Amino acid sequence: MKKIIFLLSLLSFSLSFGQEQNLSGRPNSDKSKDTVKEPTIDLFKIISIDNDTTHVDTSLTIQKDYRFNYLRKDIFGLLPFANTGQTYNQLTEFRDFNSVIPKFGARARHYNFMEAKDVNYYYVPTPLTELYFKTVPEQGQQLDAFFTVNTSERLNFSVAYKGVRALGRYRHILTSSGNFRTTLNYQTKNRKYRVKAHFVSQDLLNEENGGLTNDALVSYITKEPEFDDRSVLDVNFEDAESILYGKGLFLYHEYYLLGAQDTVQNKLYLSHRLDYSYKKFQYLQSSAANTLLGESFQSTNLNDETRFRNLNNTIAVNFDNPVLGKLSGRAGYSSFDYWYDSVFVGEEGVAEDRLEGRLLNVGGSYDNFLAGFNLHGDISFNFGDDFSGNHILASAGYQLDENNFLNFGIKQTSRAPNLNFLLYQSDYVNYNWQNDFDNENAQSLFFELSARLVADISGELTQIQNFTYFSLDDQNAVKPLQFDGDVRYFKLKAQREFNFGKFALDNTVLYQNVSDGDAVLNLPELVTRNTFYYKDFWFNKALYLQTGLSFRYFSSYQMDAYDPVLAEFYVQNDVEYGNYPVVDFFFNGKVDQARIFFKLENLNFLIDGNNNFSAPRHPHNDFMVRFGLVWNFFL
């Protein structure tokens, strides 16, 4: 109820500012205000945690259609589960080369979990609201309401809430999530001091049904007509759920000893960054343990709780010169606690109740434009305890000519595996372990070529030592393992849109190959998305529309399976999935500042039926009609 009241209040507040907008994105003036200069859309700024700045964009493009989803970003390379708010299976490897501290775990639940890097800050000349709404597969809705205002030219506040509740078409896959965030962005009048801060609070709940039972799998695969009503298919769990909670507090501020923000002259400034987060992951099963997961210590009221607390505290000295470039040196202290409420004593030994890390970190970065090259470098080292690590990035960009830009470089990282590989406790007997794994080491060569007349092309060659993964052991139990060889893979991605008057064809193609370690890293060789659509203004330019068909495909491969207790995917090498197309029909329109989206998803399943999967035992979604909008309000 509190969430609904908050959203309605924010909507009412937004509408009180709303007034008729023109297609340029600027508020229309009445006759009494003809002499007042209207703020242009480019003055409504969006600022990332790294100070990269864009502006509000109310246009309608095919890329906006790709981002109109639960995550609100392009999910090319991700395969969604059947219900909004569930997890995604990966069709390509998304390796994080920036973090040198081991992560919490439960990675399948983190797709919609907002970390510090996912929060933006704002500067707006007038109050701005954005409302997002989209239907869900069954009984529920997803909303994202956002409001920001500059109370003065130098002080900005924002508040937002993203909420989803969806029952889903299959039994016991209800999702209910909430992401609250609020930000502050301030600078002094002389522009020598500025501060950015935010607070986030999140709770992400999923019912876990364990996928279809063996009998239900047969009925689903053979497309038996009486099971077109998916709610009659039996599932493995009827009383299980997992919840990921989180709170985060972030502060970044800087003071200029020489120069000031946005000046071209020499600048010397001190900066301080504080990032604190707390997470808790729970797996609950009320009535009875399920033998599919093995024996349990108790038959009812299973309750696994894993907690994590992390603090990063860093100070930096930064020098910026128009000729010498920008040089930054930093030092800091990091700590994390990962713990349970008890010690586990089993046949294979003792699993402690806690992992702790106390780390000193040093690093630096360099940016410059030299001899036609955009140079960037970043290096970081952690020292202390058993969780030392390092990160190195070096890249260079070069404008080949007016139509072609090339960026290339190398990335390297060494860090401990995620903490749930090292220590885990559960009421299920098989899910208790403590391991002394080596650091995962990864190196990658990459390039990005923006060729206006050809395509946007990117490539990556990656090698990983001590690759850590989950897989089934001889007793058919999910266990963490570390590969004793090297994993090597290559991927090449190309994107290009072709325009033919009022028609367009947008293509994205990903080719990848695992040359070594294909027994522990399974990826489809080919992933494609092709969209053919019509676009034009209608009704004397009152409506701009796009309508067409989108085609998605990935080749067959041994798809990873999903484990509900860990909220992780694990490797299986028995059955191949994929090699099926998915076709969507869409009709999108822009009226004033409202972008309206209408889609017939998985259209070909309506004709041919559906027996495809997003993971073993977890069906791909059927045909459905989806509707939604994104609407901006300006004062």
Side-chain angles (χ1 to χ4, degrees):
M1 180 59 72
K2 292 180 179 179
K3 298 176 182 178
I4 295 174
I5 293 174
F6 173 83
L7 291 171
L8 291 176
S9 300
L10 187 56
L11 175 59
S12 300
F13 188 49
S14 306
L15 290 174
S16 68
F17 286 118
Q19 58 183 358
E20 186 177 359
Q21 308 286 315
N22 58 38
L23 289 171
S24 69
R26 298 187 297 270
N28 292 321
S29 301
D30 57 35
K31 294 182 180 180
S32 64
K33 297 181 179 179
D34 285 340
T35 60
V36 177
K37 185 177 180 180
E38 302 169 346
T40 55
I41 195 76
D42 60 296
L43 296 179
F44 293 81
K45 297 179 180 179
I46 304 171
I47 306 163
S48 76
I49 198 171
D50 296 319
N51 291 323
D52 296 325
T53 302
T54 57
H55 62 80
V56 173
D57 181 7
T58 61
S59 65
L60 177 63
T61 66
I62 194 62
Q63 299 300 323
K64 295 288 183 69
D65 179 79
Y66 297 154
R67 295 195 293 268
F68 187 69
N69 55 57
Y70 172 60
L71 300 184
R72 304 205 65 186
K73 64 181 182 181
D74 191 345
I75 59 172
F76 181 82
L78 294 176
L79 182 62
F81 272 37
N83 195 20
T84 299
Q86 286 187 287
T87 187
Y88 298 78
N89 212 337
Q90 292 190 1
L91 300 176
T92 187
E93 172 75 0
F94 297 96
R95 179 153 290 264
D96 182 5
F97 280 88
N98 295 318
S99 174
V100 293
I101 295 177
K103 296 182 179 180
F104 172 54
R107 302 315 302 173
R109 300 303 313 281
H110 275 75
Y111 287 101
N112 187 47
F113 192 92
M114 294 183 177
E115 308 284 3
K117 62 181 177 58
D118 301 314
V119 178
N120 290 321
Y121 304 86
Y122 302 88
Y123 169 84
V124 290
T126 66
L128 168 68
T129 298
E130 182 176 277
L131 299 177
Y132 162 97
F133 166 81
K134 190 177 183 181
T135 57
V136 297
E138 195 80 26
Q139 294 187 29
Q141 64 281 319
Q142 50 177 317
L143 300 169
D144 193 356
F146 160 78
F147 174 77
T148 183
V149 60
N150 270 68
T151 58
S152 70
E153 184 179 0
R154 295 176 285 110
L155 178 61
N156 175 273
F157 293 98
S158 77
V159 60
Y161 182 82
K162 180 179 179 181
V164 174
R165 187 171 180 85
L167 181 64
R169 291 181 173 177
Y170 293 84
R171 297 170 61 185
H172 306 293
I173 57 170
L174 178 141
T175 63
S176 179
S177 66
N179 307 77
F180 171 82
R181 65 257 190 215
T182 182
T183 71
L184 176 148
N185 184 19
Y186 172 77
Q187 67 175 358
T188 57
K189 188 174 183 180
N190 62 7
R191 295 178 296 135
K192 286 186 173 292
Y193 176 79
R194 64 176 177 176
V195 57
K196 296 186 293 187
H198 73 248
F199 170 77
V200 295
S201 180
Q202 306 172 78
D203 60 283
L204 313 177
L205 179 149
N206 278 179
E207 285 189 340
E208 303 282 4
N209 67 12
L212 301 180
T213 63
N214 291 334
D215 290 341
L217 277 173
V218 173
S219 301
Y220 176 75
I221 292 172
T222 57
K223 303 180 184 178
E224 295 182 17
E226 59 266 35
F227 292 98
D228 287 345
D229 178 3
R230 301 308 194 185
S231 64
V232 302
L233 286 168
D234 289 332
V235 294
N236 286 300
F237 306 152
E238 296 184 353
D239 57 355
E241 65 183 30
S242 64
I243 313 171
L244 178 62
Y245 300 94
K247 295 184 184 297
L249 181 64
F250 178 86
L251 171 68
Y252 174 85
H253 52 147
E254 54 191 26
Y255 181 75
Y256 285 76
L257 303 173
L258 179 65
Q261 181 188 356
D262 301 328
T263 59
V264 180
Q265 65 209 49
N266 293 339
K267 291 180 282 189
L268 177 65
Y269 60 97
L270 304 175
S271 61
H272 172 232
R273 174 169 172 161
L274 178 69
D275 187 0
Y276 171 81
S277 62
Y278 168 80
K279 297 180 183 180
K280 181 176 73 170
F281 176 70
Q282 275 187 295
Y283 177 79
L284 304 168
Q285 206 161 342
S286 58
S287 62
N290 193 292
T291 56
L292 187 69
L293 301 173
E295 297 180 357
S296 63
F297 293 112
Q298 53 192 51
S299 59
T300 61
N301 297 321
L302 278 69
N303 183 5
D304 299 344
E305 292 189 9
T306 308
R307 294 180 175 87
F308 176 73
R309 183 167 49 231
N310 179 220
L311 174 67
N312 296 308
N313 196 14
T314 305
I315 58 173
V317 179
N318 311 275
F319 177 72
D320 195 349
N321 176 272
V323 177
L324 300 178
K326 180 180 178 181
L327 180 65
S328 176
R330 60 183 182 268
Y333 172 78
S334 299
S335 66
F336 66 82
D337 290 324
Y338 171 89
W339 77 96
Y340 297 89
D341 289 334
S342 62
V343 174
F344 170 77
V345 180
E347 295 179 357
E348 298 180 0
V350 177
E352 301 292 340
D353 64 341
R354 183 180 296 266
L355 293 175
E356 295 180 282
R358 303 290 181 266
L359 304 168
L360 297 176
N361 51 73
V362 295
S365 64
Y366 179 71
D367 294 273
N368 198 7
F369 182 78
L370 185 65
F373 286 90
N374 291 311
L375 303 178
H376 172 69
D378 190 90
I379 187 169
S380 181
F381 293 92
N382 275 354
F383 305 97
D385 296 338
D386 298 322
F387 299 99
S388 297
N390 61 74
H391 149 76
I392 299 172
L393 167 65
S395 67
Y398 188 77
Q399 189 75 46
L400 301 173
D401 54 43
E402 63 179 6
N403 293 316
N404 300 283
F405 180 82
L406 174 66
N407 185 59
F408 58 94
I410 183 172
K411 298 181 285 188
Q412 188 275 335
T413 187
S414 174
R415 68 164 181 263
N418 293 345
L419 296 170
N420 61 344
F421 287 104
L422 304 178
L423 175 66
Y424 204 80
Q425 290 188 23
S426 170
D427 283 334
Y428 280 104
V429 177
N430 290 330
Y431 291 81
N432 291 272
W433 57 72
Q434 185 164 7
N435 297 304
D436 185 20
F437 287 150
D438 294 328
N439 274 15
E440 278 192 326
N441 303 312
Q443 308 85 36
S444 180
L445 298 172
F446 67 92
F447 78 90
E448 299 164 337
L449 174 64
S450 177
R452 185 181 303 174
L453 302 180
V454 181
D456 291 333
I457 305 171
S458 62
E460 182 178 317
L461 176 63
T462 301
Q463 175 177 277
I464 307 170
Q465 298 86 34
N466 304 323
F467 182 80
T468 313
Y469 62 101
F470 289 104
S471 186
L472 296 177
D473 65 8
D474 295 336
Q475 284 73 43
N476 209 37
V478 175
K479 295 293 183 182
L481 299 170
Q482 193 161 58
F483 188 52
D484 57 4
D486 288 349
V487 172
R488 297 183 180 90
Y489 65 89
F490 167 77
K491 59 182 180 180
L492 183 67
K493 180 181 176 182
Q495 188 276 328
R496 172 73 190 272
E497 181 174 88
F498 299 91
N499 288 280
F500 315 96
K502 296 180 180 181
F503 294 89
L505 176 64
D506 183 78
N507 303 288
T508 305
V509 179
L510 171 66
Y511 172 79
Q512 53 195 0
N513 180 265
V514 181
S515 58
D516 294 293
D518 56 357
V520 298
L521 178 61
N522 292 324
L523 299 173
E525 194 170 72
L526 182 66
V527 183
T528 69
R529 179 180 62 198
N530 311 90
T531 303
F532 181 74
Y533 65 102
Y534 165 85
K535 54 183 178 177
D536 195 14
F537 285 96
W538 283 13
F539 307 118
N540 196 26
K541 296 189 175 182
L543 168 69
Y544 176 73
L545 68 85
Q546 297 174 335
T547 182
L549 295 170
S550 183
F551 172 92
R552 291 172 284 128
Y553 170 83
F554 63 92
S555 56
S556 62
Y557 76 111
Q558 293 168 338
M559 180 185 292
D560 286 350
Y562 174 69
D563 183 85
V565 176
L566 298 169
E568 295 275 7
F569 286 89
Y570 63 90
V571 175
Q572 66 85 24
N573 293 312
D574 298 323
V575 184
E576 289 196 352
Y577 299 87
N579 193 31
Y580 61 87
V582 177
V583 180
D584 301 334
F585 169 78
F586 62 91
F587 188 99
N588 304 331
K590 179 178 184 293
V591 180
D592 204 16
Q593 304 311 314
R595 282 85 72 202
I596 303 167
F597 300 85
F598 177 83
K599 182 169 290 188
L600 304 180
E601 290 188 357
N602 313 321
L603 184 63
N604 54 311
F605 294 170
L606 180 65
I607 301 170
D608 191 38
N610 174 30
N611 60 357
N612 301 297
F613 292 86
S614 295
R617 292 189 179 272
H618 293 270
H620 193 288
N621 216 336
D622 298 316
F623 165 79
M624 62 180 146
V625 180
R626 305 290 292 275
F627 166 81
L629 59 85
V630 179
W631 199 348
N632 289 106
F633 301 90
F634 301 83
L635 176 62

